[in-house]
């Protein structure tokens, strides 16, 4: 059986695999549990994610992607091989593989991604910038001479780009996204309440309490952690205002990056953005009140794409439709083909 084309959204917190003719076939956390004494892989994906913070000393739950790029090559390769095998794609025929990368990645980071894809048996590799993939996945027609701004906020990076005529006009990428917001909440709780919580708990707090427009001390949830003064387990009630205070400086970094991209965009395309609005994708797009907050800050409508969590994965997989129709020159300047 001829192998199908495969698109991979290789994210900091999750991996999405798209197979041509099937659509998205798998979404799993970007986590691998490894026995540090033998280097054997113990678990991959959700099973490994559930082990974070709970493993004995000889087992380590590793997140091999950091800030949207590979930080542990060997573990990333093992993770990709596992996922490709799991979705049942034949490596004998060596499929074409598209992998998304953050905007503004270095050549070293690109080579690491390319090498990992080659190691799993790819015949041809396409590196697609995340904003391009996100735009396609959101249903935006990027072939027109019209400016479309996409803000993709994932786990490791926030990627901002203005796209027109199948290419990126202006772009930026900041290492300020879901993981950094979780870390900010951990640090805030530790500083204000002298309680240490885990990043998984911080993520729950962010999802349930975040409201960037109407932070309210009456919206609360009970959490568990360790009292740093007593050294004992404790329970604590936090509120929506705590979350706002914890992450607002990080959110401002994203706002400033969006404004900087707009400032570098040709006036005619800025007019298009004012008309079309800004499209947000990625898990960060679901933060309570973020779309309205950004709209107030930049003076332009901001809307969340349908299925924002899947946009980059969908666009990465669908890139082959555009390659066949428009030729390989469609790819951005940072794309590498082998």
């Amino acid at each position: 059986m001829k192998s199908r084309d495969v698109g991979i959204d290789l994210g900091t917190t999750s991996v999405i695999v798209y197979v041509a003719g099937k659509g998205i076939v798998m979404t799993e956390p970007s986590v691998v549990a490894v026995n540090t004494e033998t280097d054997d892989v113990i678990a991959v994906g959700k099973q490994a994610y559930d082990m974070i913070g709970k493993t004995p000393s000889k087992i380590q739950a590793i997140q091999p992607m950091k800030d949207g790029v590979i930080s542990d090559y060997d573990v990333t390769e093992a993770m990709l091989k596992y996922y490709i095998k799991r979705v049942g794609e034949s490596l004998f025929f060596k499929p074409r593989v598209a992998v998304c990368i953050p905007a503004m990645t270095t050549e070293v980071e690109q080579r690491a991604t390319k090498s990992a894809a080659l190691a799993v048996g790819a015949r041809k590799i396409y590196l697609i910038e995340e904003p391009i993939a996100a735009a396609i996945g959101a249903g935006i027609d990027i072939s027109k001479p019209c400016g479309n701004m996409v803000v993709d906020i994932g786990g490791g990076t926030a990627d901002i780009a203005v796209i027109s005529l199948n290419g990126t006009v202006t772009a930026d990428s900041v290492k300020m996204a879901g993981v950094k917001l979780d870390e900010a909440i951990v640090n805030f709780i530790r500083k204000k309440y002298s309680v240490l919580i885990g990043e998984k708990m911080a993520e729950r707090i962010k999802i349930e309490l975040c409201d960037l427009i109407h932070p309210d001390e009456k919206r609360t949830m009970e959490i568990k952690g360790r009292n740093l003064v007593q050294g004992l387990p404790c329970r604590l009630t936090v509120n929506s205002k705590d979350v706002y205070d914890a992450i607002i400086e990080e959110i401002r970094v994203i706002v400033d990056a969006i404004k900087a991209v707009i400032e570098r965009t040709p006036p005619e395309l800025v007019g298009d953005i004012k008309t079309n609005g800004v499209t947000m994708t990625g898990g960060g797009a679901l933060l309570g009140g973020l779309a309205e907050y950004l709209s107030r800050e930049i003076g332009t409508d901001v809307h969340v794409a349908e299925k924002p969590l899947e946009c980059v994965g969908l666009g990465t997989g669908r890139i082959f439709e555009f390659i066949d129709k428009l030729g390989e020159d469609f790819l951005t300047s940072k794309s590498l083909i082998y």
Side-chain angles (χ1 to χ4, degrees):
M1 182 182 74
K2 186 177 179 181
S3 186
R4 306 171 198 264
D5 295 326
V6 177
I8 302 174
D9 175 9
L10 192 58
T12 300
T13 57
S14 64
V15 175
I16 297 176
V17 179
Y18 181 107
V19 176
K22 296 182 179 179
I24 292 177
V25 295
M26 191 194 68
T27 302
E28 287 279 352
S30 302
V31 185
V32 179
V34 178
N35 185 319
T36 57
E37 296 179 355
T38 64
D39 289 332
D40 292 335
V41 173
I42 305 300
V44 180
K46 186 178 186 307
Q47 186 179 0
Y49 176 80
D50 291 339
M51 296 181 183
I52 293 178
K54 301 178 181 179
T55 60
S57 58
K58 69 176 183 179
I59 297 177
Q60 186 177 7
I62 300 172
Q63 294 177 286
M65 304 294 297
K66 184 177 181 180
D67 298 331
V69 296
I70 295 173
S71 62
D72 190 317
Y73 175 81
D74 292 334
V75 175
T76 301
E77 181 183 327
M79 180 175 70
L80 282 175
K81 285 182 176 178
Y82 173 85
Y83 285 145
I84 294 294
K85 182 178 179 181
R86 179 174 159 185
V87 300
E89 288 309 297
S90 171
L91 299 182
F92 179 79
F93 292 101
K94 294 187 177 297
R96 294 186 301 177
V97 175
V99 184
C100 68
I101 56 174
M104 319 304 290
T105 53
T106 66
E107 290 187 8
V108 172
E109 292 165 342
Q110 292 173 33
R111 283 198 296 269
T113 304
K114 178 203 70 175
S115 297
L118 283 172
V120 302
R123 176 177 85 251
K124 212 168 194 179
I125 303 161
Y126 300 83
L127 300 187
I128 313 299
E129 289 186 352
E130 288 184 4
I132 292 283
I136 293 171
I140 297 173
D141 185 353
I142 65 174
S143 67
K144 294 181 178 180
C146 178
N148 290 284
M149 173 171 268
V150 176
V151 178
D152 178 65
I153 306 175
T157 61
D159 291 280
I160 307 105
V162 176
I163 302 167
S164 178
L165 290 172
N166 295 327
T168 301
V169 180
T170 54
D172 198 1
S173 179
V174 291
K175 295 177 180 179
M176 186 60 67
V179 172
K180 291 292 175 63
L181 297 180
D182 296 340
E183 291 174 356
I185 292 172
V186 170
N187 293 333
F188 181 87
I189 299 298
R190 179 172 56 198
K191 183 177 180 180
K192 181 175 180 179
Y193 296 105
S194 295
V195 170
L196 182 63
I197 62 172
E199 291 183 8
K200 290 170 71 174
M201 177 62 73
E203 184 180 26
R204 281 187 53 203
I205 295 170
K206 176 184 68 180
I207 292 171
E208 295 189 26
L209 290 183
C210 182
D211 188 339
L212 293 170
I213 300 300
H214 303 293
D216 187 352
E217 294 184 357
K218 294 180 180 179
R219 286 187 57 200
T220 64
M221 69 178 286
E222 187 179 75
I223 64 173
K224 301 174 184 178
R226 183 173 79 241
N227 187 296
L228 294 174
V229 177
Q230 302 172 343
L232 299 174
C234 68
R235 294 177 182 271
L236 172 70
T237 298
V238 295
N239 58 61
S240 178
K241 183 65 164 53
D242 287 332
V243 177
Y244 179 90
D245 292 339
I247 70 173
I248 191 59
E249 291 303 317
E250 283 70 19
I251 296 297
R252 292 299 313 175
V253 172
I254 298 174
V255 171
D256 291 343
I258 294 172
K259 289 181 177 180
V261 170
I262 293 174
E263 288 174 0
R264 301 196 305 270
T265 301
E268 291 295 336
L269 296 182
V270 172
D272 292 337
I273 294 169
K274 183 66 177 178
T275 300
N276 299 331
V278 175
T279 300
M280 272 207 309
T281 64
L286 299 175
L287 278 176
L290 180 57
E292 186 176 349
Y293 182 85
L294 293 181
S295 180
R296 290 183 181 182
E297 290 294 318
I298 66 176
T300 301
D301 289 340
V302 177
H303 59 271
V304 178
E306 186 178 355
K307 299 181 180 180
L309 290 168
E310 298 180 354
C311 282
V312 173
L314 287 169
T316 304
R318 289 191 56 214
I319 201 73
F320 294 104
E321 300 173 21
F322 293 87
I323 290 170
D324 292 339
K325 292 178 181 178
L326 303 176
E328 291 172 353
D329 288 341
F330 166 80
L331 301 179
T332 66
S333 59
K334 291 182 179 293
S335 298
L336 304 177
I337 306 169
Y338 291 86

